[in-house]
Amino acid sequence: MNDSPGWATPGSPSDGRGSDADRPAAQPSAQPAQPAQPSDPGSGSGDSKWSAAQPPAGQWSSPAAGQTPPPAVPPQQQAPGWGTQPAPGSPYQYPGGWGGPPPAAKPGVIPLRPLGLGEILDGAVGTLRGHWRSVLSVSLVVAALSQLGLLLAQRAWLAELPVADEDLTPSQAVEVMGNTALVYAVQYYLEILGLVLVTALLAPVVSRAVLGQASTVSGTLKAVRPLAPRMLALTALMLLGAIAAVLLPTLPGILAGSAVLTALGIPVGFVLLAWFYVTFVLAPPALMLERGSAVAALKRSAKLVKGSWWRICGISLLTWLIRTITAMVIVMPFAGLALFAAPEGLSGLLDGSATRSWTFLIISAIGGVIGATVTVPMQTGVTTLLYIDQRIRREALDLELARAAGMDGYATTATERPGG
């Protein structure tokens, strides 16, 4: 029984919808079954419709005595027999190899079937390219706010630190390490916060791109506005959970004042953080597209990720690497400009005094804003498409998406779906 709430509730394969349960039962035949012949490609029926219109295989039999056999199909239109390879360009030559199913319908940026890695990445890039006004408008605002917070943290905690060529006392060295760690922690959690917000805000855009529909900035804001309180609640829960995942393993060492015990808890905290992030990474699109509560979105994400944790983790990690490398390429020219514009130049970068310069920090922040504006939507698009892919695999969401896209005659060609 399918219990998915809210947006585009599909029929579950276990309900008999979207599977062989809605086909007529095969009638027994006295003659041996013959292989079904595809309909004439020139008859006007689409590739995704003819297979659903065929009678069951058990109804195919030889004509009875006295009946006129059907006219012969011209040789150029006959289906290839067993052991023969269809000629290139033949109507029986399907993508993915001879004898495979017809291609899935593709009203938007992805085909309506379980997705591969390349299709997920291509769909995320296609959404950014085809809906760039809505995507870049949202990501620019979030990226600017994140960089502003990071800039203030850098100025507050790094501006008064001693430079590297000064003799540091043990207490000063600990202070330098602690403040630097705080800045990196702020940067990391601001990144998580930005990813959650952009994923939630752009989920309606990605869903419309999947259906092949246009989106506007005003339409996106109109769709998001009623869910803003729940979106902020979900963001706060995910941020607190990510902080707790890192702090809890180190808390015994901190309370006991043991540096060794604290150091041993750090890798455990990173493992818990990775588990937490992947388990609940689908919560933002679940909240925006199913319109439930923040807690329901977290539960929904955990349910969809269950059994596919490593696959979702691998795709998310690969996307993060691609995004990070692309952002570094974008930021490098701004870092070079900031280096030359800083009062101390290269020496200031080496001894750490450049972090005290507003010129260096502002130019670097501008580069960070541009890099995040362009690359963050790719990661958030992948997350939303992973959510859709999991529902296609488990709940036959492709049938509901096809109906939403106006493809009333669409029927899936797959009778069995890979689990997770």
Side-chain angles (χ1 to χ4, degrees), residues 37 40-41 71-81 84-87 90-92:
Q37 296 283 346
D40 184 2
V73 181
Q76 65 271 19
Q77 297 183 5
Q78 290 181 357
T84 61
Q85 179 70 21
S90 167
Y92 304 102

Side-chain angles (χ1 to χ4, degrees), residues 237-259:
L237 287 175
M238 293 193 68
L239 184 61
L240 291 175
I243 294 174
V246 175
L247 288 182
L248 288 179
T250 61
L251 191 59
I254 295 175
L255 295 178
S258 172

Side-chain angles (χ1 to χ4, degrees), residues 123-210:
V125 175
T127 301
L128 174 59
R129 184 172 58 248
H131 303 260
W132 61 271
R133 289 184 179 87
S134 301
V135 170
L136 296 183
S137 299
V138 170
S139 61
L140 175 61
V141 174
V142 177
L145 293 176
S146 298
Q147 286 295 323
L148 178 61
L150 178 60
L151 177 64
L152 295 177
Q154 289 174 328
R155 186 64 182 177
W157 287 324
L158 299 181
E160 302 300 327
L161 294 181
V163 295
D165 56 358
E166 296 180 5
D167 294 331
L168 302 180
T169 64
S171 61
Q172 288 178 324
V174 171
E175 181 183 4
V176 169
M177 291 171 35
N179 287 356
T180 303
L182 282 175
V183 170
Y184 279 114
V186 169
Q187 181 179 6
Y188 180 78
Y189 285 110
L190 283 175
E191 182 177 349
I192 290 181
L193 184 63
L195 284 174
V196 172
L197 285 174
V198 176
T199 303
L201 291 169
L202 293 184
V205 178
V206 178
S207 68
R208 296 183 68 86
V210 169

Side-chain angles (χ1 to χ4, degrees), residues 275-289:
W275 172 86
F276 176 86
Y277 178 81
V278 175
T279 301
F280 300 110
V281 70
L282 304 184
L287 173 71
M288 303 305 293
L289 299 180

Side-chain angles (χ1 to χ4, degrees), residues 260-355:
V260 175
L261 191 58
T262 303
L264 291 176
I266 291 176
V268 178
F270 285 131
V271 172
L272 285 178
L273 180 62
W275 172 86
F276 176 86
Y277 178 81
V278 175
T279 301
F280 300 110
V281 70
L282 304 184
L287 173 71
M288 303 305 293
L289 299 180
E290 298 184 15
R291 297 180 175 271
S293 65
V295 175
L298 292 172
K299 293 179 180 179
R300 184 75 165 130
S301 177
K303 180 180 179 180
L304 291 174
V305 171
K306 184 178 181 181
S308 303
W309 193 94
W310 286 108
R311 176 176 179 270
I312 294 175
C313 177
I315 294 176
S316 300
L317 180 60
L318 177 61
T319 307
W320 177 81
L321 289 174
I322 295 173
R323 178 175 69 86
T324 301
I325 293 173
T326 306
M328 288 176 60
V329 173
I330 296 174
V331 169
M332 277 182 182
F334 293 90
L337 178 62
L339 178 62
F340 286 108
E344 301 296 333
L346 180 60
S347 61
L349 180 65
L350 295 177
D351 62 19
S353 61
T355 57

